[in-house]
Amino acid sequence: MIEVRIHGRGGQGNVVAAYLLATAAIDEGHFGQAFPAFGAERRGAPVVSFVRIAERALRRRNQVLQPDFLIVQDRALLKVPGVLDGLRPGGGILVNTSLDAATIGEQVGSAVVTLPATQLAKTHLGRPVPNTALLSAFLTLTQILPMDALTKALEQKFRGDILERNLRLIEAASQHVPAGHWKERAHATGA
Amino acid sequence: MRQALEGSQAIARAVALCRPQVIAAYPITPQTHIVENIAKLVADGKLVCEYVSVESEFSAASVVLGAAVAGSRTYTASASQGILLMSEVLFNIAGSRVPIVMTCANRAVGAPLSIWNDQQDSMAVRDAGWIQLYCADNQEAVDTTIQAYRIAERTELPVMVCVDGFTLTHTLEPIDVPSQQQVDAFLPPYHFARTLDPMKPISMGTLVSPDFYPEARHSHHQALLNAAAEIVAADADWCALTGRSQGSLVQVEGDADASVAILTLGSVIGTLADAREMHPELGTVKLIRLRAFRPFPSEALLQACAGVTDLVVLERALSPGGGGIVGAEVKAALFDMPNPPRVHNFAVGLGGRDIPLDIYPRLLQAVRSQSPRPFAVFDVELDKLPAEDR
């Protein structure tokens, strides 16, 4: 089972990101589960969502306290208490920032990969919504699902121009991170 | 067909497959996504029905009551304060013996205000005279919603399908959505025998004098008890049609001959089941889930408790000044057993507090290290309270 925790801010598509990742997994024949830890949602407030991907039915309903991977949609959230809590030894952190991994790594002190997802989203979508770029990078790093699975999940969610722009965005994002960098780690979890 | 769906979206589709003719609802977290999804199905022309956006939950319940006695198949949904606001009408619906299906997206009740999950809302109306079924996961929520229409229409009783708010309503997971043919085969068009008809006038909801009121109450109670057979039959027939059983009145899993059992309602059973598998070193444990809470499944409960010496009743609500609600009812039922188990009664996860996997070893530790004590909120953190409140 792979457990992922996604941190973002209201308006960044945190829940959509979790749902897209689990949908892609389910449509590929795996078991998937995604759910938010809702606060009273408002734009800009820190929000959290969770994803589990497994090869058997997922029955537990508890929050992901010990994620294999963290996706952080806003670098400033790294300073929020609890955001880095529980990351399993050897786990990976994907951070949306234009800074390089070494700079962020000084702050976080773990296996960080960075992606300028907001910048890429502005270029390709015309809007600063980083979620789909981060999912693309996450799949490129872990190779737990083919990129085609994300494409299909996006096709269920978006249409027309927005879909086209998202497809260009995920293509661009996948070029920014080392393919298979977290593959061993992802496979060690047994998913 | 297996699809990735949010619980609310799946429930909305299940409702639509049942071809309701009148839906009335007022949005309230965490029920909102259900009625929004249904409204979208109506707007898109995928569900042809009268969708009434009302100004309160009291009106939502009143509209479906009126529509049902006019002969329509109806639906509504609510949660928390919404359930309380419609509670007067809920009693009237049940007492009038009108078949209505509603979803309760279980949520805590204020004050203090909480939008998160527990089961205080449906427990607060357990005496309204509705059938209450509690779902473990979203597949069960889908299947039970469809079964609920058949149960309601065969018993002329309303059915409340209780689904843990957020924990289920806002969780995306794989769902096998049944086909329209399957649902149509299971749920034929319905005619309400007491449909109000100006050509054959009858009165409903009239004043009943002491000459007949106790008989009305007795027959309502008997009708609920008799409904147990319809709940069992609906699940069995649904299983024959789809291959999926959702557990009848009481679902038992784990070690059949265990002397320790944990009993609960709703989705927390999944977390307990995973934890049980992770902890074989903690010995054999049976897991008991009350799928039906009204009618209360005493007989099935006693069977499930055979050989059990310690029973943990884990509930998601409480009666302040009394203690556990489910615990009190379970104890009452067990009183008829020759060697009843010791009951350890705890509330857990109130107001949406996360119920982690380690709740399982902690519960077993509590059972094995102490004699049953009075009801307690298991995950309370007393250091957060002033000394006089502990």
Side-chain angles (χ1 to χ4, degrees):
Chain A
M1 178 174 63
I2 290 183
E3 293 185 294
V4 184
R5 196 167 68 211
I6 307 176
H7 292 269
R9 294 187 182 276
Q12 288 188 310
N14 219 57
V15 181
V16 169
Y19 281 10
L20 282 170
L21 183 53
T23 299
I26 291 165
D27 289 351
E28 282 293 307
H30 307 281
F31 287 91
Q33 179 194 62
F35 58 103
F38 266 106
E41 309 89 355
R42 60 233 180 265
R43 206 160 272 264
V47 289
V48 186
S49 58
F50 311 99
V51 181
R52 292 190 172 101
I53 298 171
E55 295 315 309
R56 48 181 292 200
L58 287 155
R59 297 195 62 192
R60 69 193 62 181
R61 303 279 167 191
N62 56 310
Q63 295 181 356
V64 173
L65 301 179
Q66 294 181 296
D68 300 292
F69 298 102
L70 284 168
I71 299 175
V72 182
Q73 300 214 67
D74 179 342
R75 174 172 62 93
L77 292 171
L78 293 171
K79 292 177 187 159
V80 173
V83 167
L84 299 172
D85 283 4
L87 182 68
R88 286 183 186 275
I93 309 174
L94 176 61
V95 182
N96 171 22
T97 173
S98 49
L99 298 176
D100 62 22
T103 310
I104 296 293
E106 281 171 26
Q107 182 187 344
V108 176
S110 189
V112 174
V113 173
T114 63
L115 179 77
T118 301
Q119 202 178 305
L120 289 167
K122 280 183 180 169
T123 304
H124 293 278
L125 298 180
R127 293 174 60 205
V129 185
N131 59 352
T132 55
L134 286 160
L135 288 180
S136 167
F138 180 71
L139 292 188
T140 305
L141 287 160
T142 58
Q143 304 196 335
I144 51 169
L145 301 168
M147 193 57 71
D148 190 39
L150 178 60
T151 303
K152 286 181 192 158
L154 288 168
E155 283 168 355
Q156 293 175 42
K157 180 88 188 158
F158 302 111
R159 299 261 182 282
D161 186 46
I162 299 285
L163 175 63
E164 292 305 317
R165 285 166 179 264
N166 266 292
L167 295 182
R168 284 200 294 275
L169 173 59
I170 64 168
E171 171 63 27
S174 71
Q175 308 294 327
H176 268 266
V177 294
H181 185 58
W182 287 344
K183 187 175 177 180
E184 210 169 297
R185 167 70 201 170
H187 283 261
T189 64
Chain B
M1 194 181 79
R2 188 175 175 272
Q3 298 173 65
L5 292 173
E6 187 201 33
S8 296
Q9 205 180 1
I11 293 165
R13 293 209 194 167
V15 170
L17 286 168
C18 295
R19 303 185 189 276
Q21 293 152 302
V22 177
I23 294 171
Y26 187 81
I28 180 169
T29 302
Q31 156 264 37
T32 311
H33 289 190
I34 300 173
V35 296
E36 275 179 357
N37 273 293
I38 295 175
K40 188 167 190 310
L41 291 171
V42 174
D44 291 348
K46 291 175 181 164
L47 170 61
V48 179
C49 83
E50 191 73 34
Y51 188 103
V52 189
S53 287
V54 288
E55 90 298 345
S56 76
E57 287 86 358
F58 188 95
S59 295
S62 300
V63 166
V64 292
L65 171 57
V69 297
S72 298
R73 183 175 283 165
T74 62
Y75 176 78
T76 189
S78 195
S80 186
Q81 321 298 129
I83 295 283
L84 298 189
L85 186 56
M86 61 169 62
S87 64
E88 180 188 340
V89 190
L90 296 182
F91 278 74
N92 272 321
I93 289 169
S96 303
R97 310 274 283 276
V98 175
I100 284 171
V101 171
M102 78 173 288
T103 305
C104 177
N106 283 112
R107 165 183 151 181
V109 170
L113 179 62
S114 167
I115 60 166
W116 293 282
N117 167 238
D118 64 33
Q119 295 168 349
Q120 193 72 51
D121 47 5
S122 54
M123 284 296 158
V125 294
R126 70 186 170 147
D127 298 337
W130 286 55
I131 291 170
Q132 284 194 347
L133 304 174
Y134 287 77
C135 299
D137 56 38
N138 282 318
Q139 185 67 59
E140 181 173 346
V142 164
D143 293 342
T144 301
T145 299
I146 297 161
Q147 292 179 18
Y149 277 98
R150 201 183 87 163
I151 297 162
E153 290 169 2
R154 289 200 179 179
T155 60
E156 292 193 348
L157 286 168
V159 182
M160 187 178 294
V161 180
C162 301
V163 180
D164 283 321
F166 288 118
T167 316
L168 293 182
T169 58
H170 287 56
T171 291
L172 177 136
E173 56 190 358
I175 305 286
D176 199 337
V177 179
S179 70
Q180 187 66 65
Q181 290 97 314
Q182 283 175 316
V183 178
D184 286 346
F186 185 74
L187 198 62
Y190 177 62
H191 173 71
F192 180 46
R194 285 173 288 135
T195 298
L196 292 182
D197 178 354
M199 303 309 290
K200 284 182 277 179
I202 58 167
S203 291
M204 289 188 75
T206 54
L207 183 71
V208 171
S209 71
D211 290 341
F212 207 71
Y213 190 84
E215 288 70 29
R217 296 297 281 164
H218 171 85
S219 83
H220 190 172
H221 175 54
Q222 284 308 111
L224 257 297
L225 295 179
N226 293 341
E230 286 296 345
I231 297 169
V232 173
D235 192 54
D237 291 350
W238 183 249
C239 183
L241 193 67
T242 64
R244 285 192 306 274
S245 164
Q246 295 301 354
S248 202
L249 299 169
V250 174
Q251 191 179 46
V252 181
E253 62 181 306
D255 306 296
D257 55 355
S259 59
V260 175
I262 305 175
L263 177 148
T264 191
L265 286 76
S267 65
V268 68
I269 197 73
T271 304
L272 294 173
D274 271 2
R276 193 190 70 86
E277 280 194 16
M278 289 164 66
H279 290 288
E281 80 284 2
L282 295 177
T284 56
V285 173
K286 185 190 283 191
L287 298 177
I288 303 170
R289 180 172 69 90
L290 300 189
R291 180 170 179 250
F293 187 65
R294 284 292 180 272
F296 191 83
S298 301
E299 202 178 313
L301 173 66
L302 295 193
Q303 278 171 19
C305 289
V308 174
T309 57
D310 283 280
L311 176 67
V312 179
V313 177
L314 198 62
E315 56 186 294
R316 312 290 317 284
L318 67 94
S319 176
I325 300 166
V326 181
E329 298 209 10
V330 167
K331 280 184 190 172
L334 295 177
F335 194 73
D336 294 334
M337 262 180 104
N339 293 302
R342 304 190 300 172
V343 173
H344 310 254
N345 189 192
F346 302 113
V348 70
L350 299 179
R353 179 164 296 179
D354 189 42
I355 304 171
L357 286 163
D358 75 2
I359 199 81
Y360 179 81
R362 286 163 56 206
L363 284 168
L364 293 182
Q365 169 80 18
V367 167
R368 286 176 174 144
S369 64
Q370 59 195 227
S371 302
R373 292 192 301 185
F375 167 83
V377 176
F378 189 73
D379 48 1
V380 70
E381 293 169 6
L382 289 174
D383 55 348
K384 292 178 179 172
L385 292 169
E388 64 270 23
D389 288 347
R390 287 179 195 171

